[in-house]
């Protein structure tokens, strides 16, 4: 499966798309330690199954599937809440010059709001906000496209209500 | 925040402080995974090997056979042992099926189903073992009181049947308790992260 070449290639892809994993981690964990743990676990799972990635779908699409599976099913740390600081203090964006405080604030608010959503609903929110097509959502979750549409409409309604 | 469109836009604009370098990412790939299901299969193989090695590990293993023979339970003893192996082989096969099927690249629904099927198989394996152990103990116990001269002798020495039953029952309960605790620590360690998936699977089913 893994050759030195494919490892370099894989790390480059991982680097390029690491924000996808960060989003999943932020959705499914409660603090920085858990965030890092889950990030590592997803990276390991991606690497282990990289040999089976046939390139039929985009690398990023394949990452959602592996990342969500890992977050929903394999990664089950007890909710210790080691650090009760709000998430926005830990993961906010300050990297760029055109740092957008408003985006940061709104995202912190959003993550906080969906913290109590079920694992599947969190996945649906992620796929919705990432603008995934119904067939991609259906494929990732393993449900029919019709069912994906129904679930997505429900999530949209829930988000709308949340936005007031 | 006004609407969903704006929410999507802001979502796309978010940045993360934490950006791992290629060296750090490379380091992650070398780390140990907490992947649980494969370990359940490896454990069952280890258990099978220990089971197979029992006659070699225990010097008095075959002496018990003579005792069962004296109780006219030789055939029953062999039958129960064969059943024990058959049970273990059957569950090893089921664990192997899950081991083969489990992959994080499957859809979320398929992945959840395999995980639930593993949990189910492990708990069935536990109960089947306990059942087998109880049947075996009960049959040997009853037959011992009918045929074992020492036990019959105890009865004649005014030690009541109830008292002996209580002591043997207590010993069986302790053995089952130890088995339960061992099972909990050995398999439970790997099953713990797989809990609570049933609700999520139900949520995916229309």
């Amino acid at each position: 499966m893994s050759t030195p070449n494919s490892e370099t290639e894989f790390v480059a892809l991982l680097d390029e798309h690491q924000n996808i994993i960060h989003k999943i981690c932020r959705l499914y964990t409660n603090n920085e330690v858990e965030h890092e743990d889950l990030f590592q676990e997803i990276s390991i799972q991606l690497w282990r199954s990289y040999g089976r990635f046939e390139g039929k779908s985009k690398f990023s699409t394949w990452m959602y599937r592996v990342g969500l599976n890992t977050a929903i099913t394999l990664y089950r740390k007890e909710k210790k809440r080691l650090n009760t600081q709000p998430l926005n203090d830990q993961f906010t964006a300050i990297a760029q010059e055109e740092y957008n405080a408003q985006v940061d604030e709104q995202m912190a608010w959003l993550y906080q709001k969906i913290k109590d959503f079920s694992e599947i609903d969190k996945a649906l929110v992620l796929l919705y906000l990432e603008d995934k097509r119904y067939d991609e959502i259906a494929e990732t979750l393993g449900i029919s496209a019709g069912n994906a549409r129904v679930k997505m409409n429900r999530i949209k309604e829930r988000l709308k209500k949340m936005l007031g | 925040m006004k609407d969903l469109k704006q929410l999507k836009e802001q979502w796309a604009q978010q940045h993360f402080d934490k950006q791992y370098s290629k060296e750090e990412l490379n380091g992650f790939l070398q780390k140990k995974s907490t992947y649980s299901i494969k370990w359940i299969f490896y454990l069952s193989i280890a258990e099978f090997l220990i089971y197979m090695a029992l006659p070699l590990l225990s010097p008095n293993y075959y002496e018990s056979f003579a005792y069962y023979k004296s109780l006219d339970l030789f055939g029953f003893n062999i039958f129960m042992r064969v059943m024990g192996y058959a049970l273990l082989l059957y569950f090893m096969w089921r664990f192997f099926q899950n081991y083969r099927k489990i992959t994080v690249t499957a859809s979320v629904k398929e992945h959840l189903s395999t995980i639930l099927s593993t949990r189910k198989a492990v708990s069935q394996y536990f109960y089947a073992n306990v059942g087998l152990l109880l049947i075996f103990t009960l049959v040997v116990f009853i037959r011992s009181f009918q045929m074992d001269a020492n036990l019959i002798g105890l009865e004649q020495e005014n030690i009541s049947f109830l008292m002996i039953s209580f002591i043997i029952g207590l010993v069986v309960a302790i053995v089952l308790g130890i088995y339960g605790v061992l099972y909990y620590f050995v398999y439970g360690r790997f099953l713990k992260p797989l809990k609570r998936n049933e609700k999520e699977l139900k949520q995916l089913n229309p």
Side-chain angles (χ1 to χ4, degrees):
Chain A
M1 156 191 131
S2 49
T3 62
N5 263 352
S6 68
E7 189 163 339
T8 316
E9 181 188 282
F10 173 77
V11 170
L13 282 167
L14 198 59
D15 185 29
E16 189 187 334
H17 297 286
Q18 65 171 292
N19 273 356
I20 292 179
I21 311 181
H22 278 302
K23 284 173 194 164
I24 295 173
C25 293
R26 189 164 173 187
L27 268 173
Y28 286 92
T29 63
N30 298 306
N31 56 55
E32 202 170 352
V33 177
E34 288 182 5
H35 185 110
E36 193 169 326
D37 265 7
L38 182 57
F39 194 103
Q40 283 185 18
E41 188 61 47
I42 293 175
S43 304
I44 297 169
Q45 296 306 331
L46 281 165
W47 172 231
R48 287 195 171 169
S49 42
Y50 185 55
R52 293 194 296 275
F53 173 61
E54 293 163 346
K56 282 180 189 163
S57 53
K58 281 193 289 183
F59 183 75
S60 56
T61 308
W62 179 72
M63 277 179 98
Y64 287 109
R65 184 182 267 225
V66 175
L68 286 172
N69 269 331
T70 309
I72 294 173
T73 60
L74 295 179
Y75 185 84
R76 285 285 187 198
K77 290 266 162 144
E78 289 302 306
K79 288 190 176 172
K80 285 179 200 151
R81 301 200 182 253
L82 295 170
N83 187 342
T84 50
Q85 267 185 293
L87 281 162
N88 53 333
D89 287 351
Q90 298 169 39
F91 302 117
T92 47
I94 49 167
Q96 299 189 344
E97 274 181 47
E98 69 265 31
Y99 167 63
N100 188 336
Q102 198 198 350
V103 170
D104 179 44
E105 200 181 300
Q106 300 286 27
M107 284 303 107
W109 172 85
L110 176 69
Y111 281 110
Q112 200 59 45
K113 278 279 183 189
I114 54 183
K115 195 170 267 301
D116 295 327
F117 278 29
S118 73
E119 316 284 15
I120 297 296
D121 281 352
K122 281 179 187 166
L124 287 164
V125 169
L126 174 80
L127 296 168
Y128 169 70
L129 293 175
E130 292 286 299
D131 232 358
K132 293 287 151 198
R133 295 193 316 265
Y134 287 129
D135 60 331
E136 279 182 274
I137 295 168
E139 200 195 321
T140 304
L141 298 179
I143 55 180
S144 68
N147 191 13
R149 187 171 288 122
V150 172
K151 289 195 183 303
M152 207 39 87
N153 284 336
R154 272 191 212 141
I155 276 295
K156 275 189 327 207
E157 283 308 311
R158 207 168 163 191
L159 287 173
K160 261 189 208 162
K161 215 179 255 179
M162 227 171 68
L163 293 168
Chain B
M1 210 173 291
K2 282 174 190 165
D3 54 24
L4 290 176
K5 198 175 160 225
Q6 199 184 350
L7 185 69
K8 267 188 184 177
E9 282 166 9
Q10 295 196 325
W11 176 267
Q13 281 172 34
Q14 67 179 314
H15 295 285
F16 291 88
D17 252 1
K18 260 179 192 288
Q19 289 296 309
Y20 294 112
S21 67
K22 282 188 181 162
E23 288 69 37
E24 282 175 304
L25 291 173
N26 209 29
F28 290 164
L29 309 187
Q30 324 304 330
K31 296 240 162 86
K32 208 175 136 250
S33 162
T34 51
Y35 209 77
S36 309
I37 294 189
K38 308 221 167 189
W39 279 104
I40 290 172
F41 175 62
Y42 299 148
L43 274 175
S44 75
I45 293 177
E47 200 179 328
F48 184 73
L49 291 176
I50 293 171
Y51 208 13
M52 292 292 276
L54 265 184
L56 302 170
L57 295 172
S58 155
N60 301 325
Y61 184 77
Y62 291 106
E63 278 178 23
S64 62
F65 281 52
Y67 180 68
Y68 297 130
K69 210 168 191 173
S70 75
L71 297 178
D72 269 350
L73 287 176
F74 185 74
F76 174 72
N77 169 45
I78 298 292
F79 172 75
M80 291 305 273
R81 276 168 210 271
V82 170
M83 281 290 287
Y85 282 113
L87 202 72
L88 190 50
L89 280 173
Y90 167 68
F91 279 100
M92 268 177 82
W93 176 77
R94 278 184 62 182
F95 295 151
F96 179 65
Q97 291 300 316
N98 288 327
Y99 170 89
R100 254 182 7 142
K101 259 188 4 199
I102 191 84
T103 160
V104 276
T105 55
S107 71
V108 170
K109 191 174 164 183
E110 277 170 346
H111 196 63
L112 284 171
S113 301
T114 315
I115 283 180
L116 287 174
S117 142
T118 304
R119 278 186 63 81
K120 208 168 144 192
V122 173
S123 74
Q124 282 173 353
Y125 175 57
F126 174 72
Y127 288 116
N129 262 333
V130 169
L132 217 58
L133 191 66
L134 273 179
I135 293 170
F136 184 74
T137 314
L138 206 68
V139 171
V140 172
F141 175 59
I142 292 168
R143 189 55 76 92
S144 302
F145 271 101
Q146 289 168 341
M147 299 182 76
D148 186 335
N150 291 325
L151 285 176
I152 295 167
L154 278 181
E155 266 191 288
Q156 283 162 357
E157 281 170 34
N158 285 337
I159 298 172
S160 74
F161 177 78
L162 210 66
M163 179 62 102
I164 300 166
S165 309
F166 175 74
I167 293 167
I168 294 178
L170 197 68
V171 171
V172 172
I174 290 170
V175 170
L176 283 180
I178 293 170
Y179 178 68
V181 169
L182 273 176
Y183 170 89
Y184 178 79
F185 277 110
V186 176
Y187 284 96
R189 191 184 126 77
F190 296 102
L191 283 180
K192 217 173 170 184
L194 310 180
K195 275 183 188 171
R196 291 179 288 183
N197 287 140
E198 202 161 356
K199 216 169 80 188
E200 279 122 41
L201 186 63
K202 272 187 193 150
Q203 208 193 326
L204 273 177
N205 286 322

